[in-house]
Amino acid sequence: MSSSTSLNLGSFCTSLVNFPTHCPHKSSSFLLHGAQFSPPSPNNNNNNSSTVFKHCSWKLTRPTKRAVAAVDSSDPAEKQETERKKYYFLVANAKFMLDEEEHFQEQMFERRRLYGERNKEPDFWLVIEPKFLDKFPNITKRLKRPAVALVSTNGPWITFMKLRLDRVLQESYEADSLEEALASTPVNLEFEKPETWTAPYPKYEYGWWESFLPPGSQTSKV
Amino acid sequence: MAAEMALVKPIAKFNTINTSISSRRLPFTVRMSATTSPPTSKPTKKAQKQGIKETLLTPRFYTTDFDEMETLFNTEINKNLNEAEFEALLQEFKTDYNQTHFVRNKEFKEAADKIQGPLRNIFVEFLERSCTAEFSGFLLYKELGRRLKKTNPVVAEIFSLMSRDEARHAGFLNKGLSDFNLALDLGFLTKARKYTFFKPKFIFYATYLSEKIGYWRYITIYRHLKSNPEFICYPIFKYFENWCQDENRHGDFFSALMKAQPQFLNDWKAKLWARFFCLSVYVTMYLNDCQRTDFYEGIGLNTKEFDMHVIIETNRTTARIFPAVLDVENPEFKRKLDRMVEINTKLIAVSESDDIPVVKNFKKIPLIGALASELLAAYLMEPIESGSVDFAEFEPQLTY
């Protein structure tokens, strides 16, 4: 019995020790990518796109034409590819996606690592409070807010992720451009510390998802 | 190739063997499992005691009814097969995230040379058991990949790709053994080991659980060592993060297989079996790890704390597919596990005593009785209803 008590104390301490690593981020829990990624001014140029890529730590250093077009909002008509693309997504409340479902983080970084190794352009993003949800009243009426969506142009991968995450809703939509597809509303995310933390390791740090948010999304439009 | 050739015979030979329940991946004793027959049906034969000690202690090799598997996944017979899900899984396995991950460096040998004394034996045992477990997965998946090729090429290919992963893992572990100047003769193992027969439905439950619990064990060790790097005494642990994603994906595949066979998930019998498999997997892990606290303490973990975390997380994951799971977060569950550890310790003491066999058996009877009653009590604890939201009747009311 005494051993089990000390165990619980042990894990309690772990979470206490861990707490400070969560906190500093919380205080700066930024108006998501609104502040970080897309300057309010319209001249969102290529410089920005490269900082975004650096910040995202994608190994891909030379954004190809499409990526530039997607990030650069200065002259959409000229640069954007006109074909409508299909986007697949899973959505659930932010707490589930970013806080509770810890192995989700591992999958995101694993996939990013793979894309880096194979020089593939990113085709998956996390979108916090996505605007496209307005098109899905059947989803929004069942969704706790704030919500987070995992969006990708790779449909089968989203199907796989639905199998993994299970407690999420799956749908798809079309959009003319990446920035239209991934537009979002800025929101403050705050997660309470878990009541019980049984793990012998600290929780993944608050904000791990930041580098998966869409580059230069147009929160400035709000 | 040699492994594949050797595979066919033993499997055919052992098709009728019917032994006790245990999980594939977990390198655990099945001593206790002779007493864990489920209340529902099918008495399990006593684990073959005459087997060498190594057989009881090392992970099992599994075989199944391949004809029934063929029927289950015949797309013409079974219309429930969610092709989109299997295609998605196939793409995910073809992606091959860990193609270039398992590359060794000279750190391995150097670290192994530094591990001396009792810890050295513990490490060797850990590598042997893990290697055998991965290899048993390789054999089973490889054969399933071969047998299902005609009736369901997609499912068959996934099995083959999973056997690729398992072979990679086993090979990596076997190379680890070479750092300790040892090697497992996998060809010999293939022929010499006993195969445990499970009906397909039980293969699904058991392998699902062992893949998922394998994931949680590896990732827990990895994350613990990441925050406590002074305990990394051998570089293999650094590979666990990517490695265990393979295990997690394998588990997802069994999840999809079960979804394709809703009869294994949706009735009262399925609930009883689900609870039974959860219990036997959790208990075997707990009892075995508690016999090997030196290993876990050697890498800076508290064995019981580690195990309970793994059990709780595995149970939460499993609740996304099994129709019922155990209430492992109820403190009473851990109390029961701890009592089982005490009884098991006494059982081992009797086995290792100098008494003649008759006396030993006589002394064991009350202990086995006590263990059985603890197991039954744990089994009968109020379960938690669970399952995939894809099946839930209450689904429209769920909030996400």
Side-chain angles (χ1 to χ4, degrees):
Chain A
M1 272 326 294
S2 65
S3 75
S4 83
T5 321
S6 66
L7 292 188
N8 293 337
L9 279 177
S11 57
F12 181 57
C13 289
T14 318
S15 52
L16 278 184
V17 170
N18 182 32
F19 184 56
T21 61
H22 289 241
C23 257
H25 294 272
K26 249 182 209 172
S27 55
S28 66
S29 63
F30 55 84
L31 287 175
L32 288 172
H33 35 274
Q36 288 237 322
F37 288 111
S38 65
S41 64
N43 55 346
N44 189 357
N45 54 27
N46 280 346
N47 266 345
N48 261 325
S49 87
S50 64
T51 14
V52 166
F53 273 96
K54 215 189 215 165
H55 180 84
C56 295
S57 69
W58 287 100
K59 283 192 182 143
L60 189 68
T61 44
R62 33 180 173 80
T64 67
K65 205 170 167 189
R66 191 186 297 157
V68 172
V71 174
D72 188 340
S73 56
S74 59
D75 197 353
E78 211 179 271
K79 289 186 181 170
Q80 250 146 29
E81 289 177 8
T82 44
E83 59 172 321
R84 277 174 82 75
K85 259 196 169 169
K86 197 158 186 186
Y87 294 84
Y88 304 83
F89 72 91
L90 300 176
V91 69
N93 66 80
K95 170 115 180 113
F96 176 83
M97 294 286 272
L98 305 181
D99 189 49
E100 290 172 355
E101 198 64 14
E102 285 229 295
H103 59 75
F104 179 49
Q105 187 261 28
E106 292 155 25
Q107 282 181 288
M108 294 295 280
F109 281 97
E110 181 191 44
R111 197 164 176 82
R112 163 174 296 172
R113 166 184 63 81
L114 183 93
Y115 276 39
E117 284 170 8
R118 300 190 185 168
N119 279 341
K120 259 186 96 174
E121 265 184 64
D123 62 5
F124 61 102
W125 306 268
L126 286 172
V127 187
I128 299 168
E129 275 299 308
K131 290 194 174 160
F132 64 74
L133 281 181
D134 298 344
K135 293 182 229 167
F136 299 97
N138 282 336
I139 286 182
T140 48
K141 73 180 179 200
R142 297 164 63 189
L143 202 56
K144 261 187 271 169
R145 309 305 273 263
V148 171
L150 172 65
V151 183
S152 177
T153 49
N154 185 335
W157 185 63
I158 291 294
T159 303
F160 167 74
M161 290 302 293
K162 162 68 183 155
L163 175 69
R164 165 68 61 86
L165 297 170
D166 194 64
R167 274 109 169 101
V168 293
L169 294 160
Q170 182 180 3
E171 259 298 352
S172 65
Y173 61 94
E174 287 189 353
D176 289 325
S177 70
L178 193 64
E179 58 177 9
E180 180 200 327
L182 304 179
S184 66
T185 316
V187 65
N188 253 323
L189 290 184
E190 270 184 52
F191 303 125
E192 277 172 25
K193 212 159 53 103
E195 277 172 39
T196 51
W197 185 250
T198 59
Y201 48 76
K203 210 169 160 52
Y204 288 128
E205 273 186 35
Y206 179 94
W208 64 260
W209 53 86
E210 282 163 35
S211 59
F212 294 98
L213 300 176
S217 61
Q218 36 174 229
T219 42
S220 50
K221 265 193 186 172
V222 177
Chain B
M1 281 319 284
E4 197 184 4
M5 299 290 289
L7 179 69
V8 192
K9 279 185 213 156
I11 283 186
K13 220 186 276 172
F14 289 101
N15 241 353
T16 50
I17 292 181
N18 190 355
T19 49
S20 55
I21 308 300
S22 155
S23 74
R24 178 183 64 72
R25 177 163 314 281
L26 303 174
F28 308 128
T29 173
V30 285
R31 253 178 226 155
M32 47 70 57
S33 62
T35 61
T36 59
S37 56
T40 42
S41 63
K42 205 173 171 184
T44 51
K45 248 193 230 169
K46 276 229 150 189
Q48 282 128 351
K49 285 263 167 62
Q50 74 275 23
I52 27 172
K53 195 176 174 198
E54 183 216 44
T55 314
L56 288 172
L57 288 172
T58 42
R60 319 215 113 205
F61 280 21
Y62 288 111
T63 185
T64 189
D65 182 342
F66 292 104
D67 293 332
E68 188 188 335
M69 280 281 189
E70 274 176 358
T71 316
L72 282 174
F73 294 105
N74 190 324
T75 35
E76 302 193 346
I77 300 172
N78 186 344
K79 306 288 181 203
N80 280 321
L81 292 174
N82 182 345
E83 289 301 330
E85 223 160 54
F86 287 115
E87 290 289 349
L89 278 160
L90 181 57
Q91 176 189 289
E92 193 68 2
F93 282 111
K94 273 186 178 163
T95 301
D96 199 2
Y97 288 87
N98 288 330
Q99 199 173 34
T100 56
H101 178 60
F102 294 97
V103 178
R104 284 159 52 86
N105 55 37
K106 64 177 173 44
E107 277 180 46
F108 280 78
K109 180 71 184 154
E110 289 166 10
D113 288 342
K114 276 186 206 139
I115 302 176
Q116 292 299 335
L119 194 61
R120 193 170 171 92
N121 289 337
I122 297 168
F123 250 88
V124 167
E125 191 199 31
F126 164 75
L127 290 171
E128 276 174 359
R129 290 162 154 262
S130 308
C131 181
T132 312
E134 300 278 8
F135 187 66
S136 85
F138 162 76
L139 290 179
L140 179 69
Y141 298 161
K142 182 88 185 164
E143 181 65 3
L144 280 163
R146 201 179 69 79
R147 292 291 293 262
L148 297 176
K149 220 175 238 167
K150 270 186 219 140
T151 46
N152 194 327
V154 174
V155 167
E157 192 174 355
I158 298 173
F159 270 121
S160 300
L161 292 170
M162 295 202 320
S163 75
R164 165 203 70 194
D165 295 342
E166 301 284 13
R168 218 176 250 163
H169 301 165
F172 197 65
L173 286 157
N174 212 6
K175 280 191 189 143
L177 278 166
S178 74
D179 298 329
F180 295 85
N181 307 317
L182 290 163
L184 274 185
D185 183 345
L186 297 175
F188 172 77
L189 269 187
T190 310
K191 281 179 238 164
R193 288 294 301 277
K194 290 199 170 62
Y195 285 76
T196 302
F197 176 82
F198 269 159
K199 287 190 67 72
K201 142 174 171 175
F202 303 130
I203 286 277
F204 297 155
Y205 295 141
T207 40
Y208 173 84
L209 275 170
S210 62
E211 295 287 1
K212 289 294 184 185
I213 209 168
Y215 163 75
W216 280 111
R217 287 171 62 82
Y218 281 30
I219 197 70
T220 303
I221 291 174
Y222 176 84
R223 290 179 67 181
H224 155 72
L225 290 176
K226 192 154 196 220
S227 43
N228 301 284
E230 68 275 18
F231 289 108
I232 307 181
C233 42
Y234 186 59
I236 205 159
F237 299 118
K238 295 181 196 163
Y239 292 72
F240 275 16
E241 186 186 31
N242 291 350
W243 181 329
C244 68
Q245 306 304 326
D246 288 342
E247 319 290 346
N248 212 349
R249 276 186 283 270
H250 295 178
D252 294 331
F253 173 58
F254 285 103
S255 184
L257 288 181
M258 286 187 274
K259 280 166 125 181
Q261 307 292 340
Q263 74 276 17
F264 295 161
L265 293 173
N266 60 11
D267 61 7
W268 61 272
K269 271 191 278 181
K271 286 184 183 175
L272 292 176
W273 280 115
R275 285 158 63 190
F276 170 71
F277 273 89
C278 285
L279 183 66
S280 40
V281 168
Y282 303 159
V283 169
T284 30
M285 178 178 82
Y286 203 79
L287 295 186
N288 278 281
D289 287 356
C290 284
Q291 288 177 54
R292 292 173 179 76
T293 49
D294 290 347
F295 175 75
Y296 299 97
E297 283 164 13
I299 55 171
L301 281 165
N302 176 318
T303 311
K304 287 184 171 181
E305 187 188 340
F306 165 73
D307 270 28
M308 271 323 287
H309 171 67
V310 169
I311 289 172
I312 288 169
E313 291 293 357
T314 306
N315 204 56
R316 283 182 191 163
T317 306
T318 306
R320 306 234 174 124
I321 182 70
F322 280 24
V325 292
L326 305 172
D327 186 9
V328 299
E329 291 174 67
N330 182 338
E332 182 51 33
F333 187 78
K334 184 175 186 300
R335 284 197 282 273
K336 287 187 162 55
L337 288 178
D338 287 335
R339 284 198 291 269
M340 289 181 219
V341 172
E342 282 171 32
I343 300 167
N344 195 42
T345 312
K346 288 180 194 158
L347 267 173
I348 293 166
V350 172
S351 299
E352 287 172 356
S353 67
D354 295 330
D355 293 330
I356 54 166
V358 180
V359 176
K360 275 187 189 177
N361 285 338
F362 192 70
K363 283 183 176 170
K364 275 183 188 170
I365 291 169
L367 293 171
I368 289 171
L371 190 57
S373 87
E374 285 295 346
L375 280 166
L376 188 65
Y379 180 78
L380 294 175
M381 277 174 71
E382 185 75 19
I384 296 169
E385 300 273 312
S386 58
S388 164
V389 294
D390 291 358
F391 287 159
E393 287 151 23
F394 50 91
E395 213 257 342
Q397 281 103 55
L398 275 183
T399 45
Y400 290 85

